[in-house]
Amino acid sequence: MNKRLITAMAAVSASATVLATTSAAEVQYNVDSASMLLNTEPSEADKDVGAGDDRSDLIIIGDNNTDNNIITPRKFPATEDNTRYIGRNFYDGDTLWLVQSGSAAEFNVCGTSASVVLCGDEYMHSEPDMRPRYAILVDGEVVRDSFVSREPERVTVFSGTEPRSATVRIIHLSEANYGAIGVSGIEADTYSDDAVSPTNKKDVSIEFIGDSITCGYGVEAASQYEPFKTATENFMKSYAYLAAEKLSADYSAVSYSGHGIYSGYSPDGSRMENSLVPPYYSNIGSLPAYARAWDFSSAVCDIVVLSLGTNDGTYIVNDPRTRSEEFSKAYRDFLGVVRQKNQDAYIVCTHGAMGYPDVYSVIAKTVVDYTAETGDNRITSFQLPEQKYSNGYGADWHPSRKTQMIAAEKLAEELKTIIGKIK
């Protein structure tokens, strides 16, 4: 246990409070001290504040030092010294930008209160249900689900009269092509200038490369007849996030709705060359402000899940023989890029949640041929179960929450075998 939790274990009586916003689509959550799991007794090892070299000792020692036993407001930048970056983000010297679906900042904080300062890009001026959406979690519980609609916005994470310790995550719920979430700073009423620190990395890290299914497009919509809105897009309810949670793994996502490998979504059968993932894969994002080179060495992945082909299917279906060959070549070329960027990772090629089984057959054969040509034995294919009418649909006939959960379960089982090889 992180010794930062000791302060909170001593006395917790305050309930977490959340600032309200004017957005009609915002979801509010009430979180009391019991839901924060702060009633657990510390172990004998945890009580040893002198063991090891932990910055939290300063906070604990302050309780016995009259000169330091004063709680004051303190500010912390959202740098990697203070937060752990999850997914494709970048810090511009002032603000941490959470760009991709699921991109997040996570940190431990000790104090009587904590808040974060958020800002937005040009997309915060979109229609209310199309703005960048985010959530804040405290000790694993969602305490705020909202949109970036003004800046700067100071959001209270928790507050009270007694010191406590908590783990906070700020996560981007909508997708990269509809704006990013900016974290300009962290504030806390605390004893110490060292009261905020990054959480620890997990043992396994998975990268998901995908399209709208990976983004969680329309997963919260009431029916298939609803159009797309960021208000119903939630990466935390996608198969990618859910599978990573089941496996207790870190994750990173690179996903764009309507995009493919050889063609994006095609309403008329023509090839959509402007909606392809490969040209953007090596960047943090596709929008001009975020089209910066991604440093793959900054977040090395153990497994890469490549889940593309659904949008290509809308193009291939109009001339299966010729277009399948074109798709296969493009897929094989992209496999080469993914391997170059992730030299030691296992690559799992999957597809099928929204149908087009013939496309999966092409993918599976391409993987076999690629392995034969290159000798790369760390690549495999896996077909996701197709969605069913009985499980409902999300917006525009996308997977419902139940379908996403089923896909997560199947994928997690598939990945367990690979994780066994890694460990």
Side-chain angles (χ1 to χ4, degrees), residues 75-390:
K75 297 182 179 180
F76 307 85
T79 61
E80 289 188 279
D81 288 336
N82 299 317
T83 67
R84 181 164 73 94
Y85 296 174
I86 299 172
R88 295 195 179 187
N89 310 326
F90 78 92
Y91 188 73
D92 65 5
D94 178 62
T95 298
L96 171 64
W97 292 99
L98 313 180
V99 178
Q100 287 285 341
S101 299
S103 291
E106 188 175 83
F107 56 89
N108 296 313
V109 57
C110 299
T112 57
S113 70
S115 60
V116 294
V117 180
L118 303 180
C119 62
D121 54 21
E122 61 184 299
Y123 288 85
M124 72 177 180
H125 302 298
S126 301
E127 292 299 315
D129 57 5
M130 292 294 288
R131 293 170 182 168
R133 183 182 175 190
Y134 70 91
I136 297 177
L137 290 77
V138 176
D139 293 334
E141 298 291 332
V142 176
V143 299
R144 185 178 178 91
D145 181 337
S146 190
F147 305 92
V148 175
S149 57
R150 61 182 182 273
E151 63 176 0
E153 182 179 11
R154 182 174 286 98
V155 180
T156 299
V157 176
F158 66 81
S159 65
T161 59
E162 297 293 332
R164 62 171 290 183
S165 183
T167 297
V168 177
R169 175 181 289 190
I170 309 159
I171 180 171
H172 186 184
L173 298 180
S174 49
E175 65 180 277
N177 277 349
Y178 290 87
I181 309 295
V183 184
S184 293
I186 304 162
E187 299 179 359
D189 291 336
T190 183
Y191 294 112
S192 173
D193 288 331
D194 260 356
V196 174
S197 65
T199 58
N200 295 324
K201 292 183 178 181
K202 297 182 179 179
D203 292 339
V204 175
S205 180
I206 307 171
E207 178 180 74
F208 296 89
I209 308 171
D211 47 33
S212 55
I213 302 170
T214 303
C215 294
Y217 180 120
V219 69
E220 293 180 342
S223 77
Q224 62 269 34
Y225 303 112
E226 286 192 24
F228 172 79
K229 297 178 287 188
T230 59
T232 61
E233 184 173 55
N234 190 338
F235 181 78
M236 288 180 63
K237 294 179 181 179
S238 75
Y239 76 91
Y241 183 88
L242 296 173
E245 285 287 291
K246 289 178 180 294
L247 298 168
S248 189
D250 277 331
Y251 67 85
S252 179
V254 184
S255 52
Y256 301 98
S257 291
H259 285 53
I261 285 182
Y262 188 68
S263 174
Y265 173 73
S266 176
D268 59 4
S270 60
R271 185 183 174 209
M272 305 301 289
E273 300 180 54
N274 294 327
S275 301
L276 305 180
V277 172
Y280 304 122
Y281 177 63
S282 297
N283 292 341
I284 295 173
S286 62
L287 295 177
Y290 312 116
R292 305 173 178 223
W294 172 242
D295 180 6
F296 285 84
S297 67
S298 67
V300 177
C301 295
D302 301 296
I303 300 171
V304 176
V305 176
L306 175 54
S307 183
L308 287 169
T310 299
N311 292 303
D312 296 277
T314 63
Y315 168 75
I316 294 171
V317 71
N318 290 277
D319 184 359
R321 177 173 296 183
T322 301
R323 296 181 177 184
S324 290
E325 293 177 0
E326 296 170 345
F327 170 71
S328 178
K329 182 181 183 304
Y331 199 99
R332 191 250 181 259
D333 290 344
F334 188 47
L335 281 178
V337 173
V338 174
R339 171 54 73 216
Q340 180 188 17
K341 301 297 184 181
N342 305 272
Q343 295 185 11
D344 297 322
Y346 283 83
I347 301 174
V348 179
C349 302
T350 187
H351 168 76
M354 291 185 70
Y356 296 103
D358 291 344
V359 173
Y360 175 75
S361 298
V362 175
I363 291 172
K365 183 178 185 305
T366 302
V367 168
V368 171
D369 292 343
Y370 178 85
T371 299
E373 292 169 12
T374 63
D376 189 342
N377 59 4
R378 289 193 170 200
I379 178 170
T380 187
S381 61
F382 166 71
Q383 188 171 16
L384 287 171
E386 185 174 348
Q387 59 188 356
K388 296 180 180 179
Y389 176 82
S390 58

